[in-house]
Amino acid sequence: MRNPHSNGNLEEEEGRGEAAVENGFGDGLILGLDGGATSTVCVCVPFFPYGDRFPEPLPILGRAVAGCTNRNSVGANMFGYACLWGTTLIDSTFFLKSVHLSTAYAETAARDSLEQVISEALVESGSDKSHVRGVCLGVSGVNHPSDQDMIQNWIRDMFPSHVKVYVQNDAIVALASGTMGKLHGCVLIAGTGCIAYGFDEDGREARASGAGPILGDWGSGYGISAQALTAVIRAHDGRGPETMLTSTILKALGLSSPDELIGWTYADPSWARIAALVPQVVSCAEAGDEISDKILVDAADDLALSVKAVVQRLGLCGKDGKACFPVVMVGGVLNANMKWDIGKEVSKRINQHFPGAQTIIPKVEPAVGAALLAMNFLTVKIDVS
């Protein structure tokens, strides 16, 4: 299927793209994409065909931001509405049709976001698809080969056949953002969602968490905020102690009563919308609220436990438990720069378990990590597609 945004036929683009040396683009271009639960970032960088010797900072020729490319997140709202209607007002046949429509909508929206962000990044770079040598997309929700294959096919349809396409879980490109494209060590992501992912030197991989909020990613922004909302409701109906979270969250949302919180929550139960309340939880903890403090302590414990599980399964710490390895820390929850520093608390717990762990805050965003990863794949001729 030909990309509808193409300005020429694919044969002509392939002929120009094989060389990719005209118009000042040297050895060609690499597109790196980071598709999280909230948005998708695409960067366009020059291809450097000499392994791990990358200039610092890596030149960014173009950058664009578009909507979410995780079809599970895109469809969350429609699926939630389908569940609500399906269990209360209408029969199961209509419910199943609603779920099917939700899935189709999610896939279309995710693909449209991909096309938009790629096109905009190339336009900003002053280039086009003919100069692209490789595309690497890290996207949340890619945990099964069928998901990976589907998204790879979307991207391949947008480019000439010579372009190499790599689709990875977003945790892998986040790791690459802290290791200059090398897959070794562990990464911890804590933003809207959370996951720990790692590789040993032999290429074995392991993960912990990342199963989504319903299955208990309590160290994530969603998990922290959902527990805070629950604490407000429990305080309101008498099942839990009073908490500063009540007045703080109601003020932030412009609500007058905890009863209104129920309608606010289910009017749009998107994960990112709930996760946006993390700053209110942190501010309450900083002000001495015990409920808020416990929520954050539990989150830090859970995030560190995810890293511990990955490290132990891969043996990154060595037989004596003291070997050095990187732990890349990514995400708004870990890098909020507030007095109650969740990232610092998580690092402290990791180093208590593993003295050789070297926590790294990446100097580049995950989309750049994806570009670096693509360059390493192309340079050493590893086929991960």
Side-chain angles (χ1 to χ4, degrees):
M1 176 180 172
R2 183 169 173 254
N3 174 20
H5 297 298
S6 173
N7 294 321
N9 64 59
L10 289 182
E11 289 76 12
E12 291 176 353
E13 290 180 4
E14 289 171 14
R16 297 194 305 270
E18 290 290 345
V21 295
E22 301 175 2
N23 301 324
F25 293 112
D27 291 294
L29 301 173
I30 298 293
L31 295 180
L33 295 97
D34 172 41
T38 308
S39 63
T40 302
V41 177
C42 178
V43 297
C44 179
V45 303
F47 175 61
F48 295 96
Y50 33 78
D52 57 359
R53 300 195 307 275
F54 300 119
E56 292 188 31
L58 193 70
I60 307 299
L61 304 179
R63 184 181 186 275
V65 182
C68 174
T69 48
N70 177 350
R71 65 193 182 106
N72 297 322
S73 294
V74 172
N77 292 350
M78 288 192 68
F79 182 79
Y81 299 147
C83 289
L84 176 64
W85 283 88
T87 55
T88 58
L89 296 179
I90 49 181
D91 62 29
S92 59
T93 300
F94 188 88
F95 166 64
L96 292 173
K97 288 181 179 178
S98 298
V99 172
H100 176 75
L101 288 172
S102 174
T103 302
Y105 165 83
E107 292 181 2
T108 299
R111 178 168 181 152
D112 287 347
S113 291
L114 268 179
E115 293 198 20
Q116 175 189 345
V117 77
I118 287 171
S119 297
E120 291 179 359
L122 284 171
V123 167
E124 185 174 301
S125 74
S127 183
D128 56 47
K129 296 188 302 299
S130 67
H131 295 104
V132 176
R133 293 189 58 158
V135 180
C136 181
L137 166 66
V139 61
S140 59
V142 175
N143 303 310
H144 190 276
S146 62
D147 295 327
Q148 190 177 43
D149 290 343
M150 178 182 65
I151 298 174
Q152 279 181 329
N153 289 334
W154 290 353
I155 299 176
R156 285 186 175 124
D157 286 346
M158 301 176 198
F159 288 92
S161 60
H162 73 270
V163 178
K164 299 297 183 182
V165 177
Y166 311 99
V167 176
Q168 304 288 329
N169 186 284
D170 64 336
I172 297 176
V173 302
L175 173 62
S177 72
T179 60
M180 293 303 288
K182 301 300 184 183
L183 294 183
H184 174 254
C186 182
V187 63
L188 175 65
I189 301 178
T192 300
C194 66
I195 187 173
Y197 212 110
F199 287 83
D200 68 9
E201 292 182 346
D202 296 324
R204 291 190 307 127
E205 57 191 278
R207 61 174 286 172
S209 298
I214 295 175
L215 298 179
D217 287 348
W218 299 125
S220 68
Y222 180 97
I224 291 170
S225 299
Q227 291 178 81
L229 292 172
T230 300
V232 172
I233 296 301
R234 290 177 66 87
H236 179 60
D237 65 19
R239 289 178 296 150
E242 294 298 318
T243 170
M244 191 184 299
L245 287 166
T246 300
S247 59
T248 302
I249 289 178
L250 291 179
K251 181 179 180 181
L253 300 180
L255 304 177
S256 58
S257 166
D259 289 326
E260 297 177 13
L261 199 57
I262 300 172
W264 178 89
T265 300
Y266 292 106
D268 178 8
S270 64
W271 302 344
R273 181 169 174 261
I274 302 297
L277 293 172
V278 168
Q280 280 69 45
V281 184
V282 175
S283 66
C284 288
E286 292 175 349
D289 183 68
E290 293 183 2
I291 300 298
S292 303
D293 187 76
K294 185 178 187 309
I295 290 173
L296 297 183
V297 167
D298 289 348
D301 289 342
D302 195 65
L303 291 170
L305 185 62
S306 296
V307 172
K308 181 181 178 182
V310 169
V311 171
Q312 290 181 331
R313 285 167 62 190
L314 295 176
L316 295 175
C317 56
K319 292 183 179 180
D320 63 357
K322 298 180 181 179
C324 294
F325 60 92
V327 178
V328 180
M329 311 267 283
V330 177
V333 170
L334 298 173
N335 303 315
N337 295 319
M338 299 183 75
K339 183 179 177 181
W340 209 115
D341 193 326
I342 300 174
K344 186 178 292 185
E345 291 298 318
V346 173
S347 295
K348 185 188 303 182
R349 287 160 172 75
I350 291 172
N351 285 124
Q352 287 173 349
H353 293 299
F354 310 111
Q358 300 171 332
T359 54
I360 298 172
I361 304 299
K363 297 179 181 179
V364 299
E365 62 182 328
V368 177
L372 292 168
L373 193 58
M375 277 188 262
N376 279 328
F377 285 151
L378 285 168
T379 300
V380 299
K381 297 181 179 179
I382 295 177
D383 184 10
V384 297
S385 60

